Each structure stands twice: as structure tokens, then as C-alpha cells.
Amino acid sequence: MEGLLQALRAYQEFNPSGWVAIYRLLPMWAGIVCCVVGVTLLLVGGGPRVFRVLAGPIGALLGLVWTGAVAVKLGLPDLDPRAPSIAAGVLLVLGFLFPPAITFVGLGVPLGLVAGQIAGPQDFLLGFAPGFIIGGLVGALLHRVVSALVASAAGGWVLVIGALAALHQFGSLVEAVASRPWGVIVAAGMFAIAGSVYQLAMRPSPEEADKQRAEKERVKLRQAEQRALEKRWGVK
């Protein structure tokens, strides 16, 4: 567990090789599971029910990865070591209860960090705060779009990392692929784009899905009424 947490710290900074290297900590069976999970996220991960399940772990991961990075940028290097775990626990529960909160944080924090970086170290908070709020509001208002993009991005990455872990028996091939992290990132991005297009263009929105379910219920009700009428009048 400690090794996995150490590997996740690579995601706190721009470290493509470290991002890819996490596959080495996964056994083959875990890689296969990751592939299945990745494909599922690419196909249906942005849906209300699936994303509710996904939002909790994503929130926990955001808490673990970004709490320390944001604290350092805000000039709080002596943050309690338990703070990332506490933030992860809060976001885990919040993600299960109210998924739009995770799209708020998930889009708000990176845009806030970018805005703070543009503002400079001395005025980081002045840049971070509006960037975080504006990005978060966009994420919450465009929840369906953002959830599909987030689920597809997570699915693409989980799929390629899972594939590397599952194929570790082909050591030289996997090492050759992993030694080119940008190639792995591009492959994950291609899967993510395909998954996003499929979920947003091919799958119905929650409102459309509700209408389709309601129409199916009406059809079933009419058919039941028709059968009852036929039975009453002895129609065969």
C-alpha cells in the first residue's frame, strides 16, 4: 500500500514516466480487472448510476493527490500529514452522495492551479480562487459532459495501464512501450476521445433515457389493458 501511495505522488507533478511506472505495482490479475473497468468506463462511465460509483473513488484520489500540491502553492508547507487522507475521505463520501461536487472540484482545482501559476507565486491565491470557482461552476453546470469526459479519460488511462500490467509476461515489449510514456499517454488519449464521442453522441442523455423508460412503461400498460379487455370479451 505504501508503494502504491508513493507511486501516486508522481501524479502531483509533471512526471509522465512516473505516471506510467505505476503499472509495475499491479499483478497480472489486477491488470486484467483494470482493462475490464477501463472499457466499462469508456462505454457507460458517464451515466448517472455508473458515475455515482466512480465519483467517490475519483474524489478520494483527488484528495490524496492534490491536497498537498495546493497546500504548497498556498504557502502551507507544514500541513498536517493526515490532511490528504481526511480530504480524500470527505471527497469520497461527497462523491457518492452528490457527484456534481466532484466535477466541481475536478475541473476547479486544475484551472485554479493554472490561473494561480499565471498570477505568479506572490499573487497565487488571487489567481487560484477565481479560477477554482469559475472552473468548478462550469464543471457542475456541464455535469453530463464533464462526467463523460472524466469517465472516458479515467477509462482510457486505466485501460492502458491495465494492459501494461496484464502483459508483463512479455517483459521486453512492455518495457519498450513503457519507456515511451508519451506514446502511452497518446494511446490513452485516443481511447478517451473515442469513449467521450460515443457517450455524448450515441448514448441518450438522462432526460432522454427517462422519456424512453416512461414510453416503455406506457406501452406495457396499454398492452396489459388490451389483454385484459380481450380476456373480458373472450377474444382469442
Side-chain angles (χ1 to χ4, degrees):
M1 186 63 179
E2 181 62 30
L4 182 60
L5 292 176
Q6 185 66 33
L8 287 174
R9 292 193 180 97
Y11 289 82
Q12 294 179 335
E13 55 189 24
F14 188 75
N15 183 7
S17 297
W19 300 344
V20 175
I22 196 172
Y23 84 90
R24 296 189 177 93
L25 301 177
L26 301 176
M28 179 184 293
W29 66 266
I32 296 174
V33 171
C34 286
C35 290
V36 175
V37 172
V39 172
T40 302
L41 293 178
L42 288 170
L43 296 178
V44 297
R49 296 179 181 177
V50 178
F51 190 75
R52 181 178 293 275
V53 177
L54 178 65
I58 287 180
L61 185 61
L62 293 179
L64 287 174
V65 172
W66 280 345
T67 301
V70 173
V72 171
K73 292 292 186 179
L74 293 176
L76 302 172
D78 298 328
L79 190 69
D80 190 322
R82 296 171 297 179
S85 299
I86 295 173
V90 171
L91 290 176
L92 174 68
V93 175
L94 192 59
F96 287 135
L97 296 178
F98 189 59
I102 301 306
T103 56
F104 184 100
V105 174
L107 192 60
V109 171
L111 290 183
L113 289 174
V114 171
Q117 193 70 25
I118 293 174
Q122 301 299 324
D123 298 316
F124 179 83
L125 182 59
L126 294 177
F128 175 82
F132 173 74
I133 294 172
I134 294 172
L137 289 175
V138 171
L141 292 174
L142 300 179
H143 175 66
R144 177 176 180 259
V145 175
V146 175
S147 62
L149 294 175
V150 170
S152 297
W157 189 249
V158 170
L159 176 60
V160 296
I161 293 299
L164 290 175
L167 297 174
H168 72 85
Q169 58 181 340
F170 303 103
S172 58
L173 175 62
V174 171
E175 286 293 336
V177 173
S179 65
R180 295 173 174 81
W182 280 110
V184 177
I185 293 172
V186 169
M190 296 298 291
F191 282 119
I193 292 172
S196 300
V197 171
Y198 172 77
Q199 293 191 59
L200 293 174
M202 305 299 293
R203 289 184 59 80
S205 67
E207 294 78 12
E208 293 171 343
D210 290 339
K211 290 180 181 179
Q212 292 176 0
R213 283 193 292 268
E215 181 62 28
K216 289 180 181 179
E217 291 297 326
R218 285 194 291 268
V219 170
K220 290 181 180 178
L221 182 59
R222 286 196 296 266
Q223 291 176 343
E225 292 174 347
Q226 182 67 26
R227 286 193 296 267
L229 183 62
E230 293 174 352
K231 184 177 181 181
R232 179 184 301 174
W233 292 99
V235 179
K236 297 183 180 180

